[in-house]
Amino acid sequence: MKEIMQQTLAAPIAYSGIGLHSGKEVAMKLLPGKENTGIVFVRTDLPGHPEIQALAENVSSTVKATTVSENGTEVFTVEHLMAAFSMMGIDNCRIEMSAPEPPVTDGSAAVFCELILQAGRIRQSEPRKIYAVDRAFSVYEDDKYITIQPYDGYRISFVSVNAHPALGTQYFDIELTEEKFLQEIAAARTAAFA
């Protein structure tokens, strides 16, 4: 397997807006991160500016949004920002936020992707940590499930069955690359009924 190096932002990014669920104004700064530091949220609105690492083991809720918590502090509705980091290849970044929720932007990841493209990306000296699936496994919860299988690439096949007439049954299949993410997925917005 070809070694892929870590990346961070080439320049800081400042963006302000309103949080989707909290309705709070938030000033956010995305800052270049050092190698092997990962994605770290910094709550500048709290004493001591506590940090929260964006790690799977720190996900504390996925009800209506993804919440990441560490040492009694949390940030929530981080999924669009995290999708942008993942698909734009940003491994290391410090996110300073003056509230517990990033700006909603237009309800998609597209604005964050555009900001990353404007700031630029720089290659770092450490190799990226890549998780390679070496066996198939599934996780089931009520009427939901996910199956993961070894594959030479990154492909997602998705089916959603929803009783709401505006949604119904939806199917999507994609061989995911940065280019296809920007064309097909980044602009997808959160569904809401009111």
Side-chain angles (χ1 to χ4, degrees), residues 58-122:
N58 288 341
V59 174
S60 56
S61 177
T62 56
V63 176
K64 296 187 181 179
T66 302
T67 301
V68 184
S69 305
E70 190 172 9
N71 300 319
T73 305
E74 69 180 18
V75 290
F76 53 93
T77 321
V78 299
E79 53 273 14
H80 294 157
L81 181 58
M82 293 301 295
F85 286 148
S86 175
M87 292 311 303
M88 303 303 291
I90 299 297
D91 301 286
N92 303 302
C93 185
R94 290 181 62 79
I95 304 110
E96 295 182 351
M97 295 187 347
S98 65
E101 187 177 30
V104 66
T105 69
D106 67 352
S108 78
V111 172
F112 297 128
C113 293
E114 184 59 35
L115 291 169
I116 291 167
L117 288 171
Q118 288 173 10
R121 298 168 278 188
I122 57 172

Side-chain angles (χ1 to χ4, degrees), residues 159-174:
V159 177
S160 173
V161 180
N162 191 299
H164 194 283
L167 297 176
T169 299
Q170 299 174 325
Y171 174 77
F172 190 66
D173 179 70
I174 190 167

